Amino acid sequence: MRSTGKTAAVPRDSAERPSRRQVIVTALGSGFALAVLPVSAATISTSDEGIEAGEIKIPVGAESIPGYRAMPGKGTAKSKGKGFPVVMVVQEIFGVHEHIKDVCRRFAKQGYLAVAPALYARQGDVSTMTDSKEIMAKVVSKVPDQQVMGDLDATVAWAKTSGEADVSRLAINGFCWGGRIVWLYSAHNPHLRAGVAWYGRIVGNKDPLHPQNPLDIAAAVKAPVLGLYGAQDQGIPVATVEQMQKALAAAHSKAARACEFKIYPDAGHAFFADYRPSYRQDAAEDGWTRALAFLKKNGVG
């Protein structure tokens, strides 16, 4: 199946006005989202030793959305005097809870400024919900793709004005729901250097808030993406990943043809999520190593 290469129109000033909805979640919760409790004994906890980490506010028009930022500590030499390379970390359906914060700290330990914006801030607080189906129905399904693209643009603008970041070395990394967003953002922002999509959906139902699938925009990809998938994922069939590979290979874009994939034969969905039973250590560790290498290969590092 060939991609049409068409992308949904997004206002050029989307960083200033991604949505008319008012921000209703003004601060991040602490710990893990209630829907994922109890967490696994394998849960990784990365200390903030040697780094600066904490909640921030990201201006979006007249309001702000909360986010979490981690970066090397003061006194750390900034590469080339331009600030730290930037990785935006995009959440799973559970929001910016402790696991996503921990991933930001892991990137900071590698020399990145990592920032995770709360992309559901206008639709609701998923951290207090106990059921995944409720999270999807009441919040996630109501988050427009256009709003997300605008909030990510605003996050880049925040990083640029922070005085700590080099946004000419910009990447995006996302899990599950965020993996799909990585694909969409790679077609949205021409200044992006690289993306890493962990088990992001390739095809699915469309509606006015979500008018396109990653497969639809394959030919429009402006930055290479590393796709990391599990062969046992019941929600993302390997056949759809193969469709994406073929669409990218058929594209005229250099970035599209530079995309890479790794499918782990014994892993299912959410194999990187060390706080859940789905975690597969071998696949997670290999994926992390590949992700870091992919970013550096594409000038983010």
Side-chain angles (χ1 to χ4, degrees):
M1 178 175 179
R2 287 188 66 119
S3 166
T4 63
K6 296 180 180 179
T7 57
V10 178
R12 292 181 65 85
D13 61 344
S14 58
E16 283 72 35
R17 55 179 185 85
S19 171
R20 293 181 180 179
R21 281 179 175 267
Q22 183 179 6
V23 173
I24 59 176
V25 178
T26 58
L28 302 177
S30 60
F32 290 88
L34 293 183
V36 304
L37 297 179
V39 298
S40 168
T43 301
I44 296 171
S45 180
T46 304
S47 78
D48 58 6
E49 182 179 358
I51 63 174
E52 293 184 22
E55 188 167 335
I56 58 167
K57 298 294 184 183
I58 299 169
V60 186
E63 297 186 288
S64 295
I65 61 173
Y68 186 85
R69 182 269 284 137
M71 66 180 187
K74 290 183 178 178
T76 304
K78 295 179 184 178
S79 178
K80 301 180 182 178
K82 296 181 180 179
F84 303 111
V86 180
V87 178
M88 291 190 291
V89 179
V90 187
Q91 63 210 44
E92 311 151 294
I93 67 166
F94 306 111
V96 184
H97 67 144
E98 181 56 29
H99 176 66
I100 298 301
K101 295 175 184 178
D102 199 88
V103 172
C104 287
R105 294 194 294 271
R106 296 178 206 181
F107 273 119
K109 296 277 188 177
Q110 297 295 323
Y112 293 94
L113 185 153
V115 54
L119 297 171
Y120 307 156
R122 295 173 190 79
Q123 280 72 34
D125 182 7
V126 298
S127 69
T128 61
M129 296 181 179
T130 58
D131 182 76
S132 296
K133 292 182 179 179
E134 179 187 13
I135 290 173
M136 290 296 299
K138 292 185 176 180
V139 177
V140 179
S141 65
K142 298 179 181 180
V143 181
D145 288 340
Q146 181 174 307
Q147 172 190 296
V148 175
M149 298 299 106
D151 282 351
L152 290 172
D153 287 344
T155 302
V156 177
W158 168 86
K160 185 175 182 179
T161 60
S162 71
E164 303 290 349
D166 176 9
V167 296
S168 71
R169 295 182 291 157
L170 175 68
I172 186 169
N173 177 97
F175 305 94
C176 186
W177 180 87
R180 173 181 176 271
I181 295 301
V182 166
W183 285 112
L184 297 183
Y185 198 71
S186 72
H188 170 79
N189 186 347
H191 304 296
L192 189 71
R193 288 284 191 94
V196 181
W198 299 78
Y199 29 88
R201 179 164 54 84
I202 301 296
V203 300
N205 296 329
K206 302 179 188 179
D207 59 49
L209 298 184
H210 315 96
Q212 293 180 309
N213 289 313
L215 186 61
D216 300 322
I217 53 84
V221 166
K222 300 176 177 66
V225 174
L226 170 64
L228 301 169
Y229 291 87
Q232 305 304 315
D233 193 327
Q234 300 302 305
I236 306 176
V238 171
T240 66
V241 180
E242 293 172 344
Q243 282 182 289
M244 189 66 170
Q245 289 177 290
K246 291 178 181 178
L248 290 164
H252 297 295
S253 161
K254 180 180 178 181
R257 295 196 302 272
C259 292
E260 299 178 10
F261 290 83
K262 174 62 178 178
I263 300 174
Y264 295 95
D266 299 321
H269 193 69
F271 62 81
F272 188 80
D274 50 73
Y275 64 99
R276 296 168 66 185
S278 57
Y279 177 58
R280 296 295 178 268
Q281 183 177 354
D282 289 349
E285 291 179 351
D286 182 78
W288 180 248
T289 299
R290 288 175 184 270
L292 294 176
F294 189 78
L295 296 187
K296 292 183 183 299
K297 175 182 176 180
N298 288 285
V300 188

